[in-house]
Amino acid sequence: MDVIKVVNGSKSFGSHQVLKEVNITCSEGGIYGIIGRNGSGKTVLFKCICGFLTLDSGDIYIGEKRLKKDVNMLTGAGIIIEEPSFLRNYSGYKNLEFLYMIRNKRDKKHICDILEMVGLEPDSHKHVGNYSMGMRQRLAIAQAIMEDQKILILDEPMNGLDNHGVEEMRRLFLELKKEGKTILLASHNREDIEILCDEVYEMDGGILQRKARK
C-alpha cells in the first residue's frame, strides 16, 4: 500500500526553483532514503510532505488523501526536520513528558522505555541545555517515535552522533521497519542510506532521481 506519493512536485522561492517535478512513492513498511548536499532541496521536499509548505504545482498523497485538498497537514507521523525546540532548563524525560501530557497521555514507563531505546538515561536530571549535540539528536529521535507513529519523516537523523550512536540508530530504524513503519529519511552520508534503505534517491539542484542499488 502506498503511504506517501509525490507526483510532479515543484516549488520555487521567488525566481529560485527548489523542487523540479519531483516524483517519489513510499510504500508501507519500507525505508526510503534521499541523499544530497546541503541546499539540494531535501528539507524543502520534507516540509512539503508534512504540509509545512505548499507545492506550486504537482500533488502529494497521504494514503488516498490529497494533501492541501482532502487534508491540510500530515498527521500520524513522527517528524525530525531541523533541530527540534526543547525546553532547555528541563531534563530529556521532562521534555517528553510535557509533550505526552499535551496529548492527554501519561505513561512514565513508556517514556522511560523510549529514552532507553535511543540510549539516554531516563533518570538523568541533566538539563537539555547541557546536552551534547548527539544527545539532543537522540532526544529528537525519541520524540519522533514515542507515539508509535506509522510514518517517520527524518531529515538528517544521524547529525551529531558518534560512530557508536550511528550504529545504534541504524539498528533502531531497522527494528522499526520490521514493525511495519514507513520511514523516509534524508542524509548527506551515503553509507547511512546504502545500509538502511530499500530504495535510494539522489537530490541535486531540486531534481530527484532514483539510484540503482549495487
Side-chain angles (χ1 to χ4, degrees):
M1 183 181 106
D2 292 344
V3 176
I4 299 169
K5 188 173 185 178
V6 182
V7 182
N8 297 326
S10 295
K11 179 68 180 176
S12 296
F13 296 98
S15 61
H16 178 48
Q17 189 171 9
V18 181
L19 301 178
K20 301 175 182 178
E21 297 190 357
V22 167
N23 291 278
I24 184 172
T25 300
C26 303
S27 298
E28 186 175 1
I31 302 182
Y32 299 82
I34 301 176
I35 190 165
R37 295 170 296 176
N38 290 338
S40 62
K42 305 187 304 295
T43 298
V44 170
L45 174 60
F46 280 19
K47 287 183 176 180
C48 288
I49 290 171
C50 292
F52 303 151
L53 295 173
T54 302
L55 292 175
D56 297 329
S57 61
D59 291 299
I60 297 172
Y61 293 89
I62 308 300
E64 297 180 352
K65 295 182 178 181
R66 188 160 48 149
L67 195 62
K68 301 300 182 182
K69 302 291 183 181
D70 303 316
V71 292
N72 196 46
M73 301 287 288
L74 173 64
T75 58
I79 298 168
I80 298 176
I81 296 182
E82 299 170 340
E83 186 172 345
S85 297
F86 293 117
L87 300 173
R88 296 176 60 85
N89 293 326
Y90 290 89
S91 68
Y93 175 89
K94 277 294 183 185
N95 269 268
L96 295 191
E97 185 181 48
F98 290 146
L99 289 168
Y100 221 40
M101 289 170 63
I102 288 171
R103 296 164 178 82
N104 294 316
K105 295 181 179 180
R106 296 174 184 270
D107 188 339
K108 292 185 176 181
K109 183 181 184 304
H110 176 69
I111 296 172
C112 290
D113 289 345
I114 292 295
L115 286 167
E116 289 177 350
M117 195 180 296
V118 300
L120 294 175
E121 296 180 11
D123 297 328
S124 173
H125 296 290
K126 186 174 186 176
H127 289 174
V128 171
N130 295 323
Y131 275 18
S132 66
M133 183 177 178
M135 291 176 71
R136 290 196 303 273
Q137 195 67 9
R138 288 172 184 264
L139 187 60
I141 294 169
Q143 177 183 317
I145 68 174
M146 73 175 182
E147 292 191 68
D148 197 26
Q149 308 283 34
K150 291 294 185 183
I151 302 171
L152 297 174
I153 307 291
L154 308 176
D155 189 11
E156 301 287 355
M158 308 298 193
N159 264 1
L161 296 176
D162 59 18
N163 290 337
H164 178 65
V166 168
E167 289 295 330
E168 286 184 322
M169 293 307 106
R170 285 175 181 170
R171 287 195 295 270
L172 173 60
F173 296 151
L174 290 172
E175 282 299 316
L176 293 170
K177 173 191 168 181
K178 288 180 183 178
E179 295 174 8
K181 313 288 193 232
T182 301
I183 302 174
L184 177 60
L185 67 88
S187 177
H188 60 268
N189 186 327
R190 191 174 296 272
E191 185 180 10
D192 288 337
I193 298 292
E194 292 291 343
I195 287 173
L196 288 170
C197 298
D198 302 295
E199 292 186 11
V200 176
Y201 294 79
E202 185 161 8
M203 180 79 85
D204 187 18
I207 297 172
L208 188 70
Q209 291 185 315
R210 186 175 174 181
K211 307 295 288 184
R213 300 307 305 269
K214 295 179 182 179

